Amino acid sequence: MEKKVIIGGVASILVVACVVAACVTLTKHDAETSSKGLATSTKSVQSMCQPTPYKQTCEKTLSIAKNVSDPKDYIKVAFEATVTELKNIIKSIEPIKKAASDPYTKDALLACEQLFDLAAEDLRTSITKIQNFDISMIKDVVDDLKTWLSAVLAYEDTCLDGFTKKEYSETREKMAKLMNTTQELTLNVLYMVDSFGQMITQTTGLTRKLLSNSDSIIEASNRKLLQISSAQPNAVVSADGSGQYKTIKDAINAVPKKNTKPFVILIKEGIYKENIEIEKDKLNVVLIGEGPTKTIITGDNAVKNGGGMTTWHTSTLGVSGFGFVMKDIGIQNTAGPEKEQAVALRVNADKAAVYNCKIDGYQDTLYAHSNRQFYRDCNITGTIDFVFGAAAAVFQNCKLIVRKPGDTQNCMMTAQGNVDVKSTGGFVIQNCDISAEPEFLATNPAIKAYLGRPWKMYSRTIIMQSNIDAFINSEGWAPWNTTDFGIHTCFYAEYQNRGPGATLDKRVSHWRGYQKDISGDTINKFTADKFINTNPQWLPVADIPYEADMMMV
């Protein structure tokens, strides 16, 4: 734990230092009077910290360096200061871990350790990216950094989510206090990177179009990706023993760490009762089944299963490794509505694509946790918040199907979870079909169902060019637990939808977060190519159909 937390916090400071170094380098030639003093003066530190929300923390971190001329010295001083701070935090965490007696608290603390480790890895990736970047690619570098920093914010927040119930409030308060500085540092870096990107774009005029080098390079990259689906599998899984492996876990274990090429695993027809985790170092894993009703991965972990488990650990399949692709597979969590949160699929991998899959559950079916994700031609079923998380995720031509919930429950399709206005996440639901199962429609009195609700303060969901059936409540969107939380800070939009549930005249127009008169230019920012397909472009992939812009529907 100590090593993991130190790396995470140090990495946050290193990103700050690297951004400072980049700014020093870029602005050094602007004026002779500032070329020598920018890296050392209090004024330069204050300037660097100006866009951040926690200026005192920022200035304290960066102003430790005195008489510095080499930006590397900033990194050294920041490293030392952060290690000192984190040693104090780690000493404070130990009593909490030792005092935890109930299984749930132990599981929540274990989840926090894993989440910190994931955050640290994203920050290490960020450091490598910013140390090696070419100024001509700054826009895309900034996009990557903002995506990964948004993921770090989500990991930190997910740790605290494990202690939301009243009986764990004391532990939550302790963890929040211990994590306060780390969260401030992460937000500060996100704001610095965002401001840095805007400054470079404004002063140089660089745009993604200019940065793409040539269409031929992108096309060559796409051709390479498209070969995945026709490649011979690296591993074959068969429940009857006719393949190389009888379990999917064993096949995943065979994937080399830091794998640089698609590792294709063919999963033959069968029901696989497994809880699978594709770790952060298992890159470019491709799972291909024989059809979403033939190749089925199933589990029943749930928060209320009696075993003491957080939502993070309930997933039947959890994916952290970059470049994940899944086709023609069914994923289930069969715990049922009475067991509360029970995830079928959790994805926090960056640049992940899911095609022609059936994702079935009840509450919290699909945990689109963080980073960039693409779903095409998938069926997703559930009851409460059954598409949730903080990812930047685009859903095209999917079927979102509401199921009958437990007694006294209403249904919410989405619960997007951006924790800050600068977070890059959001759900874009394009040309999808929003419907309900017959069992839901047959209830009397009718159960209320909504397009979504603001799980976090800056929740963002866009539904466009989709069919919405009549069962959706005329208000469209629901508040979080009947409060005003997030209703004026969220970003909810509907555009060019169809069907009897798409009528907008009774929507929640009094919410300032509801975009009742959204323009086509604004909506265009949420098309797949602009929202998630940053350079080097990663879509289309593996023969998965893909619409870059608005569809002809």
Side-chain angles (χ1 to χ4, degrees), residues 371-392:
N371 289 303
R372 290 162 286 202
Q373 305 177 18
F374 180 67
Y375 298 82
R376 176 79 182 210
D377 297 348
C378 292
N379 283 16
I380 307 167
T381 69
T383 56
I384 302 171
D385 306 335
F386 66 92
V387 179
F388 78 114

Side-chain angles (χ1 to χ4, degrees), residues 10-23:
V10 169
S12 294
I13 297 300
L14 287 175
V15 173
V16 175
C18 287
V19 172
V20 172
C23 287

Side-chain angles (χ1 to χ4, degrees), residues 197-398:
Q198 291 183 34
M199 178 189 72
I200 296 300
T201 301
Q202 291 169 1
T203 56
T204 65
L206 292 171
T207 66
R208 177 169 291 113
K209 182 65 177 176
L210 293 175
L211 301 177
S212 61
N213 294 322
S214 71
D215 292 339
S216 61
I217 293 176
I218 295 172
E219 289 171 1
S221 174
N222 285 342
R223 283 197 297 271
K224 181 179 178 182
L225 291 170
L226 289 168
Q227 294 172 3
I228 292 173
S229 60
S230 60
Q232 288 295 315
N234 300 90
V236 178
V237 180
S238 179
D240 63 11
S242 62
Q244 295 163 275
Y245 304 97
K246 292 187 71 173
T247 70
I248 302 167
K249 278 184 180 178
D250 287 341
I252 296 297
N253 289 337
V255 179
K257 292 184 176 180
K258 303 296 182 181
N259 176 60
T260 59
K261 298 178 181 179
F263 192 98
V264 180
I265 300 173
L266 174 63
I267 308 171
K268 291 192 172 183
E269 180 177 353
I271 297 175
Y272 299 84
K273 187 169 176 52
E274 302 185 48
N275 290 96
I276 303 159
E277 189 69 36
I278 300 178
E279 302 288 353
K280 191 78 169 177
D281 59 3
K282 300 288 187 177
L283 311 181
N284 301 303
V285 173
V286 180
L287 300 183
I288 300 178
E290 295 189 328
T293 62
K294 294 180 178 180
T295 299
I296 299 171
I297 308 171
T298 185
D300 60 4
N301 284 343
V303 169
K304 287 190 73 174
N305 256 359
M309 186 175 291
T310 59
T311 302
W312 180 261
H313 286 146
T314 65
S315 57
T316 300
L317 173 63
V319 186
S320 299
F322 172 92
F324 173 74
V325 175
M326 183 166 66
K327 297 177 61 178
D328 303 332
I329 291 175
I331 306 286
Q332 301 176 348
N333 190 310
T334 61
E338 69 280 356
K339 297 296 181 68
E340 296 186 355
Q341 296 91 341
V343 176
L345 175 63
R346 189 201 76 237
V347 181
N348 49 286
D350 194 20
K351 299 185 177 180
V354 180
Y355 174 53
N356 193 36
C357 288
K358 196 169 184 289
I359 308 166
D360 293 325
Y362 292 88
Q363 183 171 349
D364 291 3
T365 303
L366 172 59
Y367 198 172
H369 182 273
S370 50
N371 289 303
R372 290 162 286 202
Q373 305 177 18
F374 180 67
Y375 298 82
R376 176 79 182 210
D377 297 348
C378 292
N379 283 16
I380 307 167
T381 69
T383 56
I384 302 171
D385 306 335
F386 66 92
V387 179
F388 78 114
V394 174
F395 300 81
Q396 289 185 349
N397 291 23
C398 293

Side-chain angles (χ1 to χ4, degrees), residues 406-410:
D407 294 341
T408 74
Q409 293 179 335
N410 292 324

Side-chain angles (χ1 to χ4, degrees), residues 26 129-130 132-145 196-197 200-201 204 206-214 217-218 351 534-537:
L26 289 168
K129 188 83 171 182
I130 204 165
N132 299 326
F133 84 93
D134 180 343
I135 186 60
S136 68
M137 299 295 292
I138 186 61
K139 178 65 169 65
D140 299 303
V141 171
V142 168
D143 284 344
D144 281 346
L145 293 177
F196 178 57
I200 296 300
T201 301
T204 65
L206 292 171
T207 66
R208 177 169 291 113
K209 182 65 177 176
L210 293 175
L211 301 177
S212 61
N213 294 322
S214 71
I217 293 176
I218 295 172
K351 299 185 177 180
T534 52
N535 278 343
Q537 291 187 322

